[in-house]
Amino acid sequence: MRVLINCSTLKKGGGVQVGLSFLNEIKEFSNHKFTVVVSDILKKQLNISEFSNSFEFFEYNLSPKLKGSILGIDSYLGQLEDQVKPNVVFSIFGPTYWKSKAPHVVGYAKPQYVYKHTSPFYRLLSVIEKIKFLAKEKIQLYNFRKFANVYITESPDVSEKLKKLMGTDLVYTVTNNYSGIYENPKIWKENSKIKKFNGSTLLTISENYPHKNLAIIPKVVAYLNESYPDFKFRFVLTLDEKDFAGVTDIPSKNIECIGHVNVNECPHLYEHADIMFLPTLLECFSANYPEAMKMEVPIITSDLSFAHGICGDAAYYINPLSFEEIGDAIVSIATNDSLRNRLIEQGKKQVQKFDTSTNRAMKYIKILEDAAGNTRP
């Protein structure tokens, strides 16, 4: 089987982590031939020299254009497909804005559409933002429906909702997990920007997408400083200061923006963390959850269905819009060893329920093999 793996849409966030993990898991494969299109960001984190002769790599950053959005035409990807003639195409995450000739398996990670009516995110948008949201929703769902044949999600709940949204049963669940890097401390890399701290460190590894709800952090900081003046704490964010709106109004002692980090630096960040904080309003799956469980860091996250479905009893759930509730939860975990240890122990159990990075890769390959054997609908 010849597979065209399209990673041209992976620019930042969890998508890069998934793509990097999958490629590293299959780099010794010789049963199939792989043509891999990587974004510049992904290429920087890959050691291409480690891959077998079954792989060939091309660098390309997909930039959505009107022609691609409506007709599914991308000159570069189309010409490459004509050249290599794959049996199946795998776009790790869509929308792809490109329609392949071969059966197209596409990863789905757009929680804003499947949780549109249950998350507070949509209700918080202004009228103008809602108009933009609806326009983007129409374009992206059109792309998923027209340019994909098979879908992969990261949780059973999303799969069931996506089947109804797409009107198809060709939806598979392959859970995300921490990267295989977490099993190999020898390749962990220290991040020099994070220092030892005599207090509680709350770690948030995330881009500043609106649905991540990071704008709540300044309010939490103000509440903690007023209500718990003797409590020493800091938020560590993997953002540049310019990427975090309002950061200049916050005392530097409470928020540290250390900039974007590579996957192999993340375990070192967790080693410095006392709590993993994720106040997200929308999620299909976040690798932050199993990463924190693996690194034995307790989790504070949103009291929403997607988080419960992933974390079970291994998280302290809060109203993500209540800075008071968040602040009280932080102090509770920081000062209650029993609560902290219970969350850590539950995390050890919960992380065993996710597909390992190896299992995930094998499931991906099986889905691709099945899709390659089917004719295009």
Side-chain angles (χ1 to χ4, degrees):
M1 179 177 70
R2 180 174 285 277
V3 183
L4 174 57
I5 302 176
N6 174 28
C7 302
S8 64
T9 63
L10 306 183
K11 308 294 177 61
K12 55 185 178 180
V16 173
Q17 179 265 334
V18 173
L20 185 64
S21 175
F22 173 59
L23 291 174
N24 280 326
E25 285 293 338
I26 65 170
K27 63 187 176 184
E28 298 294 339
F29 271 37
S30 58
N31 294 343
H32 306 300
K33 296 291 184 181
F34 300 96
T35 299
V36 188
V37 182
V38 294
S39 63
D40 55 351
I41 298 298
L42 186 61
K43 184 179 179 181
K44 290 177 182 177
Q45 300 188 50
L46 277 174
N47 188 345
I48 292 176
S49 64
E50 294 180 347
F51 285 76
S52 73
N53 293 332
S54 296
F55 289 80
E56 57 179 349
F57 288 86
F58 298 85
E59 181 180 343
Y60 177 63
N61 293 295
L62 187 142
S63 180
K65 300 179 178 63
L66 183 62
K67 183 167 62 174
S69 298
I70 298 175
L71 301 177
I73 297 174
D74 184 279
S75 299
Y76 182 87
L77 293 175
Q79 290 174 9
L80 184 60
E81 183 184 15
D82 289 341
Q83 176 186 330
V84 303
K85 295 179 173 55
N87 303 104
V88 64
V89 175
F90 180 30
S91 292
I92 293 182
F93 287 111
T96 61
Y97 305 100
W98 171 57
K99 183 178 182 178
S100 63
K101 297 181 178 67
H104 198 173
V105 178
V106 179
Y108 181 91
K110 294 291 179 182
Q112 61 267 44
Y113 306 138
V114 294
Y115 291 112
K116 178 180 175 180
H117 301 295
T118 57
S119 169
F121 175 74
Y122 185 74
R123 299 194 300 272
L124 296 174
L125 299 178
S126 67
V127 173
I128 297 299
E129 288 172 332
K130 285 181 180 178
I131 292 172
K132 291 180 179 178
F133 176 93
L134 291 172
K136 192 171 184 178
E137 177 187 35
K138 187 172 183 179
I139 292 170
Q140 292 195 339
L141 291 183
Y142 171 85
N143 272 264
F144 276 110
R145 290 191 181 102
K146 294 294 184 180
F147 308 149
N149 304 105
V150 178
Y151 306 90
I152 300 176
T153 80
E154 298 175 307
S155 80
D157 190 49
V158 173
S159 287
E160 290 306 310
K161 288 177 169 57
L162 190 64
K163 287 178 182 179
K164 296 178 182 178
L165 195 61
M166 295 292 112
T168 180
D169 287 329
L170 294 176
V171 180
Y172 298 88
T173 303
V174 181
T175 64
N176 199 344
N177 206 333
Y178 56 81
S179 166
I181 287 172
Y182 284 82
E183 299 285 0
N184 189 2
K186 291 182 180 179
I187 61 175
W188 295 358
K189 183 179 178 181
E190 291 190 6
N191 185 299
S192 60
K193 292 184 179 180
I194 187 169
K195 308 294 185 183
K196 290 184 178 180
F197 178 69
N198 184 24
S200 295
T201 296
L202 292 104
L203 175 66
T204 302
I205 300 177
S206 174
E207 297 291 336
N208 192 21
Y209 299 123
H211 70 271
K212 293 294 187 179
N213 192 34
L214 302 187
I216 196 69
I217 292 177
K219 298 177 183 179
V220 177
V221 168
Y223 175 76
L224 286 172
N225 282 330
E226 180 178 352
S227 301
Y228 302 93
D230 296 327
F231 180 64
K232 294 182 180 180
F233 69 96
R234 64 173 175 176
F235 285 86
V236 173
L237 309 177
T238 55
L239 300 171
D240 294 321
E241 288 192 6
K242 62 181 177 61
D243 295 328
F244 186 53
V247 72
T248 54
D249 300 327
I250 305 303
S252 59
K253 68 176 182 178
N254 294 125
I255 294 181
E256 297 180 13
C257 291
I258 64 172
H260 298 272
V261 298
N262 291 329
V263 175
N264 63 347
E265 295 177 275
C266 292
H268 180 243
L269 302 185
Y270 283 108
E271 288 183 324
H272 282 266
D274 297 287
I275 296 170
M276 192 282 281
F277 177 57
L278 193 64
T280 180
L281 303 178
L282 286 167
E283 216 70 55
C284 282
F285 193 101
S286 173
N288 295 162
Y289 292 136
E291 288 169 358
M293 294 172 193
K294 168 65 176 176
M295 298 300 294
E296 300 185 12
V297 178
I299 298 166
I300 292 178
T301 195
S302 307
D303 189 10
L304 294 169
S305 62
F306 59 79
H308 281 274
I310 299 169
C311 296
D313 295 327
Y316 193 113
Y317 296 103
I318 43 83
N319 176 352
L321 303 180
S322 171
F323 57 85
E324 299 99 335
E325 189 172 322
I326 294 170
D328 292 342
I330 290 170
V331 174
S332 293
I333 293 178
T335 58
N336 187 329
D337 288 341
S338 177
L339 172 59
R340 179 182 179 83
N341 291 335
R342 179 176 63 80
L343 291 171
I344 290 172
E345 290 304 313
Q346 289 295 331
K348 291 179 183 178
K349 296 176 183 178
Q350 186 71 12
V351 77
Q352 300 300 318
K353 299 179 181 180
F354 304 132
D355 290 317
T356 65
S357 55
T358 300
N359 288 342
R360 175 175 59 189
M362 297 303 100
K363 287 186 177 182
Y364 280 166
I365 294 296
K366 180 62 167 61
I367 293 169
L368 295 176
E369 290 173 340
D370 290 345
N374 296 329
T375 58
R376 176 180 277 277

